[in-house]
């Protein structure tokens, strides 16, 4: 894009006028500025947050990665020269094409880059995603993961009836006659892959007009076909996978049990305090892994877990406090922090077949992109599994998580009493001076007197309620004893009156 095109770009013009302070800061620090192509900005609201998302600072940890400015530090992207890819923090994954690059100079004659990109990081429609990148949007991708959704999609294709019937015959033959040996699962995977490739080719050629092998429609057909095939054979294949991985699963389950009993927590492995927080949503999502059927569905569950984990950490009180204490500190969730956190998450979920699930995903899915978020997710969980496997519970450092967050009424009364005694001593020491000194004494701060009054009132309330409770309890006990004595004496007298010896002598009341 030429300088004239940049000057006419609505985003770039707003950057130079309304958001000039942000633009000058980016120039001074030689940050990377991403300018979305003008046609892609139609209907997009450009505000301060939008501008911050398109000004990128180099990551101090990973080469080629950048973080967004402002309050978008949790958002990061990777620039590989021709495309910009979302790494973390964005609601949807994307891979955006770089259309052009301008080298500019700031007031100190230092270079900074301005990239023209095919569309904005946020705010563009899913239709634009598909048309621009030739790939599925995350929303469309998610519709091709489960067996039922894939079947619905395949039934919507032209000429689907005959093709599905023939595909079902192949799968029925596989389930009925093919013998799966745990030691030869790679042969099983290859046979199923051949069936998937045949079906994809058949569905592709049956469409009018013919479907390109590089477009979003072809990707969707491939994913849906794979998920449908694996959904049909899941019970037979996954049983063999569990049989193959039973020893590794058993070892891992025992390790999870030991770590759970040892109180395994991220801070024991040096994870920063700002990243140590409860992760309830992530635990629930990961715990559902075994209920998923297809390999892609299981992988999507892991990806969603990773996304929720990141969101819960960045939204936590611990992270917010750390940001307030050190606003300029680079608080990014790196692999050094992520792997122990993932390991702790696995311990909490007590997954019985994690090894089997990872093997199933890796060997029975043939449409896994290697360099996007799904590939990164699989690698992250494999690293967390190895991290767990190598842990020795006897060498764990004590956790700092067991902080006391409550105070009992008795402890509150004791604290109040100590404060009162301390204040009394101070007042006694102050009263030893003459009257002039007393009149010239500086009164206690108002805030301190207010705290003392509140503590005193709380102590009186607790003491009053406690004494009232004890009094009521004592009265009830006394009443019980009194009633017991009266009824007891009457029953004993009646009992003695009824006694007679063999001579006919009656025992009366005393």
């Amino acid at each position: 894009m030429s300088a004239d095109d940049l000057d006419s770009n609505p985003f770039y013009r707003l950057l130079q006028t309304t958001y000039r302070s942000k633009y000058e800061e980016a120039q001074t620090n030689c940050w990377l500025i991403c300018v979305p192509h003008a046609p892609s900005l139609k209907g997009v609201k450009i505000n301060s947050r939008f501008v911050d998302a398109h000004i990128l600072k180099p990551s101090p940890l990973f080469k080629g990665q950048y973080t967004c400015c402002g309050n978008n530090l949790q958002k990061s992207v990777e620039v590989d020269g021709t495309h910009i890819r979302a790494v973390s923090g964005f609601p949807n994954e994307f891979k955006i094409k770089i259309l052009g690059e301008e080298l500019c100079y700031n007031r100190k004659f230092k270079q900074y880059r301005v990239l023209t990109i095919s569309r904005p990081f946020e705010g563009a429609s899913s239709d634009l995603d598909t048309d621009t990148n030739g790939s599925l949007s995350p929303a469309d991708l998610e519709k091709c993961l489960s067996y039922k959704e894939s079947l619905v999609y395949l039934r919507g294709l032209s000429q689907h009836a005959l093709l599905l019937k023939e595909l079902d015959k192949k799968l029925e033959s596989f389930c009925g006659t093919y013998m799966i040996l745990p030691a030869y699962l790679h042969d099983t995977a290859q046979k199923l892959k051949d069936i998937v490739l045949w079906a994809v080719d058949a569905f592709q050629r049956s469409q009018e007009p013919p479907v390109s092998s590089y477009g979003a429609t072809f990707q969707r057909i491939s994913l849906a076909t794979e998920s449908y095939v694996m959904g049909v054979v899941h019970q037979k294949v996954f049983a063999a996978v569990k049989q193959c991985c039973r020893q590794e699963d058993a070892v891992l389950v025992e390790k999870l049990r030991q770590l759970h009993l040892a109180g395994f927590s991220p801070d024991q492995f040096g994870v920063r305090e700002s990243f140590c927080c409860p992760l309830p949503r992530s635990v629930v999502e990961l715990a559902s892994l075994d209920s998923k059927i297809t390999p892609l569905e299981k992988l999507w569950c892991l990806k969603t877990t990773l996304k929720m984990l990141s969101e819960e950490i960045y939204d936590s009180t611990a992270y917010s406090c750390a940001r307030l204490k050190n606003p300029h500190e680079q608080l990014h969730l790196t692999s050094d922090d992520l792997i122990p956190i993932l390991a702790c998450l696995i311990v909490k979920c007590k997954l019985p077949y994690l090894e089997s699930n990872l093997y199933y995903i890796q060997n029975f899915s043939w449409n896994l992109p290697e360099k996007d978020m799904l590939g990164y997710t699989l690698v992250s969980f494999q690293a967390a599994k190895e991290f767990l496997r190598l842990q020795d519970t006897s060498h764990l450092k004590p956790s700092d998580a067991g902080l006391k967050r409550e105070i009992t009424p008795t402890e509150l009364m004791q604290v109040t009493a100590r404060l009162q005694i301390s204040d009394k001593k101070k007042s006694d020491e102050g009263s030893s001076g003459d009257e002039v000194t007393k009149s010239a004494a500086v009164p206690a701060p108002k805030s301190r007197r207010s705290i003392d009054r509140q503590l005193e009132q709380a102590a009186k309330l607790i003491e009053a309620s406690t004494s009232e409770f004890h009094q009521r309890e004592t009265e009830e006990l006394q009443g019980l004893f009194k009633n017991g004595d009266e009824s007891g004496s009457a029953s004993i007298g009646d009992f003695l009156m009824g006694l007679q010896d063999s001579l006919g002598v009656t025992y009366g009341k005393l």
Side-chain angles (χ1 to χ4, degrees):
M1 180 181 285
S2 65
D4 293 337
D5 292 333
L6 272 179
D7 291 336
S8 62
N9 186 284
F11 174 81
Y12 194 70
R13 288 169 61 185
L14 283 173
L15 197 60
Q16 292 181 312
T17 54
T18 307
Y19 302 103
R20 187 169 184 80
S21 60
K22 296 179 183 292
Y23 181 55
E24 290 179 348
E25 184 182 11
Q27 286 180 318
T28 303
N29 294 284
C30 299
W31 291 338
L32 185 64
I33 300 174
C34 297
V35 180
H37 194 42
S40 69
L41 292 171
K42 186 177 180 180
V44 176
K45 182 179 180 181
I46 300 176
N47 52 25
S48 178
R49 187 176 181 84
F50 183 89
V51 172
D52 286 338
H54 291 81
I55 298 178
L56 306 178
K57 300 188 293 186
S59 170
L61 302 171
F62 300 104
K63 185 178 180 181
Q65 288 193 10
Y66 295 80
T67 58
C68 299
C69 292
N71 295 322
N72 296 319
L73 286 176
Q74 67 270 30
K75 296 182 178 180
S76 60
V77 299
E78 183 179 50
V79 181
D80 63 5
T82 58
H83 291 83
I84 298 178
R85 180 179 63 84
V87 175
S88 64
F90 290 93
N92 296 314
E93 294 180 19
F94 58 75
K95 185 178 180 181
I96 297 174
K97 188 176 181 180
I98 298 174
L99 302 178
E101 178 178 340
E102 290 285 335
L103 283 179
C104 305
Y105 294 87
N106 60 16
R107 294 177 181 176
K108 295 183 179 180
F109 302 101
K110 292 183 178 180
Q111 282 187 352
Y112 67 94
R113 294 191 297 161
V114 178
L115 301 182
T116 306
I117 55 179
S118 59
R119 67 174 185 87
F121 297 157
E122 297 177 319
S125 65
S126 59
D127 293 338
L128 186 61
D129 288 351
T130 303
D131 294 339
T132 304
N133 299 324
S135 59
L136 283 177
S137 67
D140 290 332
L141 175 62
E142 195 170 2
K143 295 176 183 177
C144 305
L145 303 177
S146 72
Y147 165 76
K148 291 183 179 180
E149 290 173 335
S150 299
L151 178 58
V152 170
Y153 175 75
L154 293 176
R155 283 177 175 171
L157 299 176
S158 59
Q159 306 295 326
H160 72 275
L162 293 175
L163 292 176
L164 276 177
K165 187 176 181 180
E166 191 171 353
L167 177 58
D168 287 340
K169 285 183 179 179
K170 290 179 179 290
L171 296 177
E172 185 179 354
S173 173
F174 175 88
C175 293
T177 62
Y178 188 85
M179 181 178 292
I180 301 178
L181 299 176
Y184 295 93
L185 282 175
H186 289 290
D187 294 339
T188 304
Q190 184 60 48
K191 184 170 183 63
L192 289 172
K193 181 180 179 181
D194 292 340
I195 294 175
V196 170
L197 291 176
W198 169 85
V200 170
D201 182 64
F203 280 118
Q204 181 187 10
R205 286 187 287 104
S206 67
Q207 302 307 301
E208 292 293 341
V211 175
S212 168
S213 299
Y214 302 98
T217 303
F218 177 78
Q219 291 182 29
R220 192 164 185 177
I221 290 175
S222 300
L223 293 172
T225 304
E226 177 189 312
S227 295
Y228 175 73
V229 169
M230 294 310 301
V232 173
V233 303
H234 167 75
Q235 190 171 358
K236 181 173 184 174
V237 173
F238 195 63
V241 171
K242 289 194 292 185
Q243 179 69 15
C244 177
C245 301
R246 67 185 186 281
Q247 187 173 354
E248 291 86 349
D249 278 329
V251 171
L252 187 58
V253 166
E254 177 60 23
K255 179 68 71 172
L256 295 179
R257 188 189 68 82
Q258 294 175 2
L259 292 171
H260 180 74
L261 293 175
F264 187 64
S265 60
D267 63 291
Q268 292 174 295
F269 293 93
V271 175
R272 286 172 284 180
E273 185 181 355
S274 54
F275 297 140
C276 296
C277 64
L279 304 168
R281 291 170 54 214
S282 305
V283 171
V284 172
E285 180 65 26
L286 184 58
S288 68
L289 179 64
D290 287 329
S291 67
K292 311 301 180 184
I293 295 177
T294 70
L296 288 174
E297 197 177 11
K298 289 178 180 289
L299 181 57
W300 194 265
C301 174
L302 299 183
K303 174 189 173 295
T304 306
T305 299
L306 212 57
K307 180 182 178 182
M308 287 182 175
L309 181 149
S310 177
E311 290 174 352
E312 287 184 296
I313 288 176
Y314 287 127
D315 292 339
S316 67
T317 304
Y319 182 81
S320 300
C321 291
R323 292 281 300 146
L324 289 172
K325 290 179 182 177
N326 300 296
H328 302 293
E329 184 181 358
Q330 298 290 334
L331 288 176
H332 302 295
L333 191 61
T334 65
S335 57
D336 291 338
D337 298 313
L338 177 63
I339 300 305
I341 294 173
L342 269 183
C344 292
L345 202 63
I346 294 170
V347 170
K348 289 182 180 179
C349 293
K350 302 177 183 177
L351 297 174
Y353 303 113
L354 180 61
E355 183 74 40
S356 298
N357 279 306
L358 293 178
Y359 183 94
Y360 187 54
I361 293 170
Q362 189 171 11
N363 293 278
F364 287 89
S365 182
W366 306 282
N367 288 282
L368 282 181
E370 296 181 357
K371 295 183 179 180
D372 74 344
M373 190 62 185
L374 289 175
Y376 172 75
T377 298
L378 183 59
V379 171
S380 297
F381 273 90
Q382 287 173 332
K385 180 204 68 176
E386 288 301 311
F387 181 85
L388 286 169
R389 190 177 63 82
L390 298 174
Q391 291 310 311
D392 184 0
T393 55
S394 62
H395 291 82
L396 286 178
K397 297 188 299 182
S399 174
D400 296 329
L403 299 177
K404 188 172 183 180
R405 302 181 184 276
E406 297 180 355
I407 183 169
T408 64
T410 304
E411 290 172 332
L412 178 61
M413 293 174 67
Q414 291 174 351
V415 171
T416 306
R418 292 194 191 101
L419 287 173
Q420 290 175 344
I421 293 171
S422 176
D423 290 342
K424 187 176 181 181
K425 286 182 179 179
K426 290 179 181 179
S427 62
D428 291 342
E429 291 173 359
S431 62
S432 60
D434 53 17
E435 294 295 327
V436 178
T437 306
K438 287 182 181 179
S439 61
V442 179
K446 185 177 180 180
S447 59
R448 176 62 183 273
R449 293 200 304 270
S450 175
I451 293 173
D452 290 343
R453 283 197 301 271
Q454 291 175 2
L455 285 172
E456 186 177 357
Q457 290 173 0
K460 287 180 179 179
L461 286 172
I462 294 170
E463 188 175 1
S465 61
T466 306
S467 61
E468 182 181 352
F469 172 79
H470 284 308
Q471 184 178 358
R472 191 185 307 117
E473 189 179 40
T474 303
E475 291 175 355
E476 290 176 356
L477 288 173
Q478 288 175 349
L480 286 173
F481 282 123
K482 184 177 180 181
N483 295 333
D485 291 341
E486 292 176 355
S487 61
S489 60
S491 60
I492 291 173
D494 295 336
F495 175 72
L496 291 175
M497 285 181 64
L499 285 178
Q500 291 183 348
D501 61 5
S502 58
L503 298 176
V505 178
T506 302
Y507 293 90
K509 290 185 180 180
L510 297 178

